[in-house]
Amino acid sequence: MQFRDLYRQYEALKEDVDEAINSVIHKCNFISGEEVGQLERNLADYVGRKHCITCGNGTDALTLTMMAWDINEGDAVFVPDFTFFSTGEIVSFEGATPIFVDVDLDTFNISIDSLLYQIHKVLNEGKLTPKAIIPVDLFGQPANYTEIEKIANQYNLLVIEDAAQGFGGKIYEKKACSFGDMSTTSFFPAKPLGCYGDGGAIFTDDDKKAELLKSLRVHGKGTMKYDNIRVGMNSRLDTMQAAILDVKLKAFKSYELKQVNDIANQYTEKLKNIVKVPFIPEGYYSSWAQYTIQLKNEEERNRLQEVLKENNIPSMIYYPKPMHRQLAFSDYKYRDEDYKNAIQLCNTVLSLPMHPYMTNEEINKIIDVIAKNI
């Protein structure tokens, strides 16, 4: 059994994927081929944004947004404490200061109360300028953008949606990657929509920012690659990955998203009286990058993970350490008492196998092992 079975997906899409790869090889246009532009149009249309600017990976996508908004030293950027390292890393990389925010125990996403607390704290200290919020659509579910955008408007903050795990999720009919001033996603292979290497994208409705991002991703180019009008970076999605993603996007829209939700519903229905299962608020829809349960404590979580392993069932801990405890951020002197929920989650979460190609036999085996060992 695989945690996320990419080979099984390839077998299902083999004919179309192979054809797409061979087409790129025969054209020999491996960088910035026509497939890149086609994918960008299809992605923008799917999420409901005017512009999609693809790039080398999800981390670069976030970095490019920092560059486009000129976020740098002296700026405070609010980031959830329970997330992958890159969301905070890119803030520090640009010279700004990440201000970590506790999360909600039910949704795993950024806590509105903690966000307000941290904004007021920064304002009262007067050392940094609050500049932006980077909510993360963790495990596939969009953050609470209704309240986040109210706060952003009140304090004149940018909102940059990190939908690396959220692509395909939505709040009512508004899709992930369409919230905030800009939004980003990742096409890392294990993501809801993943390529066969690294890849990422930025989405915006701002025509001028879109043109700026297109320049920044290719060494700050002007009219051509040897006309450099600003300092940028080298971060392009290659043609092969674009061709593969376009094939996978069709399957994602056609049936994969529905199938992961069907599997999540099976998990939830059969596990809800055994462990704490994910909570989906009314009107929200998850793309289920991960299906994450919560156990009573770290000992129970670790014991269950070991039993699953003994039964050849893979599982993962996302995440074993909160952002504020990462050694890379130790100079900032964050306080554990501000992150009680994030710390609790790090000690109790466990993610189960989740992908569109799971069989009922596999699902039932996982549920049976958990039921017998809790």
Side-chain angles (χ1 to χ4, degrees):
M1 189 187 303
Q2 298 294 315
F3 188 76
R4 195 169 188 92
D5 200 328
L6 298 178
Y7 185 76
R8 201 176 289 178
Q9 182 193 50
Y10 170 66
E11 284 290 295
L13 304 177
K14 184 179 189 306
E15 183 177 344
D16 290 339
V17 167
D18 288 355
E19 182 180 346
I21 291 171
N22 287 329
S23 176
V24 174
I25 291 171
H26 282 99
K27 293 175 186 175
C28 288
N29 194 351
F30 300 112
I31 302 294
S32 302
E34 62 183 353
E35 288 83 355
V36 177
Q38 182 62 51
L39 174 69
E40 289 177 337
R41 289 188 290 274
N42 289 341
L43 289 169
D45 181 66
Y46 175 73
V47 306
R49 286 281 208 190
K50 283 182 69 176
H51 303 284
C52 170
I53 301 92
T54 55
C55 60
N57 53 68
T59 302
D60 282 358
L62 286 168
T63 298
L64 285 162
T65 65
M66 296 287 103
M67 296 170 71
W69 289 111
D70 195 27
I71 295 173
N72 50 45
E73 187 175 355
D75 293 331
V77 179
F78 300 91
V79 175
D81 193 49
F82 185 67
T83 187
F84 183 59
F85 183 71
S86 67
T87 313
E89 177 185 37
I90 57 96
V91 177
S92 295
F93 187 74
E94 291 303 307
T97 300
I99 303 297
F100 296 120
V101 180
D102 206 5
V103 294
D104 182 272
L105 282 174
D106 292 328
T107 67
F108 307 107
N109 283 327
I110 198 166
S111 161
I112 299 304
D113 289 341
S114 181
L115 176 60
L116 284 168
Y117 168 77
Q118 294 292 352
I119 291 171
H120 292 156
K121 185 178 178 182
V122 169
L123 288 170
N124 290 336
E125 289 176 350
K127 296 177 182 179
L128 300 169
T129 302
K131 192 67 175 286
I133 308 167
I134 308 182
V136 177
D137 301 341
L138 204 68
F139 302 150
Q141 180 172 211
N144 185 353
Y145 290 100
T146 302
E147 296 303 318
I148 291 168
E149 290 177 352
K150 287 179 185 176
I151 292 169
N153 290 333
Q154 181 180 354
Y155 294 96
N156 195 30
L157 299 170
L158 297 163
V159 175
I160 299 167
E161 178 189 9
D162 181 350
Q165 298 180 20
F167 188 87
K170 59 185 179 180
I171 303 176
Y172 292 101
E173 294 308 309
K174 188 171 175 62
K175 289 189 175 70
C177 294
S178 70
F179 296 100
D181 299 279
M182 282 187 189
S183 44
T184 69
T185 197
S186 167
F187 301 126
F188 181 80
K191 293 293 191 281
L193 178 65
C195 55
Y196 288 169
D198 268 327
I202 309 153
F203 299 87
T204 182
D205 294 319
D206 187 318
D207 295 342
K208 291 183 179 180
K209 291 297 184 188
E211 290 305 309
L212 174 59
L213 288 163
K214 290 175 184 177
S215 169
L216 288 169
R217 71 175 171 179
V218 189
H219 303 289
K221 77 179 185 69
T223 55
M224 61 171 182
K225 65 185 292 185
Y226 300 116
D227 173 34
N228 305 97
I229 59 177
R230 56 180 59 88
V231 174
M233 61 193 299
N234 179 22
S235 185
R236 297 166 295 191
L237 180 72
D238 69 68
T239 309
M240 191 82 73
Q241 300 302 342
I244 292 165
L245 281 167
D246 213 27
V247 170
K248 295 179 78 171
L249 178 61
K250 293 181 179 70
F252 182 82
K253 294 189 295 184
S254 177
Y255 65 88
E256 286 188 349
L257 191 55
K258 180 183 182 302
Q259 287 184 191
V260 292
N261 272 273
D262 289 344
I263 292 164
N265 289 339
Q266 289 185 62
Y267 271 145
T268 297
E269 182 60 31
K270 295 177 181 179
L271 292 174
K272 63 184 179 183
N273 296 320
I274 302 170
V275 295
K276 185 173 181 179
V277 296
F279 172 70
I280 307 297
E282 183 180 354
Y284 283 63
Y285 186 81
S286 178
S287 57
W288 297 105
Q290 314 291 347
Y291 188 93
T292 302
I293 60 174
Q294 296 180 51
L295 287 306
K296 293 185 180 69
N297 51 52
E298 187 173 9
E299 291 72 25
E300 184 180 70
R301 188 267 307 278
N302 293 347
R303 186 171 63 251
L304 176 61
Q305 186 173 39
E306 186 60 33
V307 171
L308 290 169
K309 183 179 179 181
E310 290 169 1
N311 284 271
N312 298 313
I313 298 171
S315 63
M316 298 290 290
I317 298 172
Y318 299 108
Y319 298 93
K321 183 185 289 189
M323 296 286 275
H324 80 276
R325 285 185 176 177
Q326 295 289 351
L327 181 60
F329 298 125
S330 59
D331 289 346
Y332 295 113
K333 310 300 181 186
Y334 301 107
R335 306 181 309 170
D336 276 356
E337 54 261 42
D338 290 334
Y339 306 103
K340 293 179 181 179
N341 291 351
I343 292 169
Q344 178 177 326
L345 290 173
C346 288
N347 291 332
T348 60
V349 293
L350 189 65
S351 296
L352 306 178
M354 169 58 82
H355 60 84
Y357 301 91
M358 292 184 72
T359 66
N360 285 330
E361 181 182 6
E362 289 171 331
I363 298 164
N364 289 332
K365 178 181 178 180
I366 295 164
I367 292 167
D368 185 58
V369 170
I370 294 172
K372 289 179 178 177
N373 289 278
I374 294 296

